[in-house]
């Protein structure tokens, strides 16, 4: 996920979090990742305490993190959710 992101993977993980996660406010929490969307559903968000992902219309996305190691840990969480659910 360094420079390219697989949109099908992200959307699949997002749905798995919504289907299997614990409801927390406007989002769902699963495997240390919170997932939620904006009011119209065109933009989805997934985040842990150190990384935020905004994924939107036409597969545009933006990661917000301070250190590469944080991104690597976030990616591992997403992969674990995808594998386990």
């Amino acid at each position: 996920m360094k420079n390219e992101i697989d949109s099908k993977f992200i959307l699949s993980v997002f749905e798995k979090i919504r289907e299997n996660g614990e409801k927390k406010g406007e989002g769902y929490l699963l495997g240390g990742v919170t997932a939620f969307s904006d009011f119209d559903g065109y933009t989805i968000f997934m985040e842990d305490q150190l990384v935020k992902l905004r994924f939107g219309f036409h597969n545009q996305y933006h990661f917000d993190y301070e250190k590469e190691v944080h991104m690597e840990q976030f990616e591992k969480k997403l992969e674990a959710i995808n594998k386990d659910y």
Side-chain angles (χ1 to χ4, degrees):
M1 278 194 235
K2 306 280 185 261
N3 295 319
E4 282 190 37
I5 190 169
D6 181 355
S7 61
K8 290 180 185 177
F9 172 77
I10 292 301
L11 294 172
S12 175
V13 172
F14 179 80
E15 281 305 311
K16 289 176 181 186
I17 294 171
R18 286 184 49 151
E19 291 172 2
N20 300 290
E22 178 184 348
K23 181 90 167 117
K24 293 282 187 180
E26 296 296 315
Y28 295 85
L29 176 65
L30 181 67
V33 178
T34 301
F36 55 97
S37 65
D38 62 358
F39 72 96
D40 60 11
Y42 282 113
T43 304
I44 64 171
F45 304 88
M46 289 192 287
E47 60 186 39
D48 64 8
Q49 293 190 358
L50 301 171
V51 178
K52 295 180 188 318
L53 164 63
R54 182 181 71 237
F55 184 89
F57 199 61
H58 295 298
N59 297 329
Q60 295 178 348
Y61 62 91
H62 175 74
F63 284 101
D64 185 23
Y65 58 95
E66 289 187 21
K67 297 180 180 177
E68 188 65 33
V69 67
H70 299 158
M71 180 61 193
E72 292 167 3
Q73 292 167 347
F74 183 73
E75 187 176 11
K76 287 179 184 176
K77 288 178 185 179
L78 298 182
E79 289 170 356
I81 291 168
N82 191 52
K83 179 182 168 229
D84 294 342
Y85 294 92

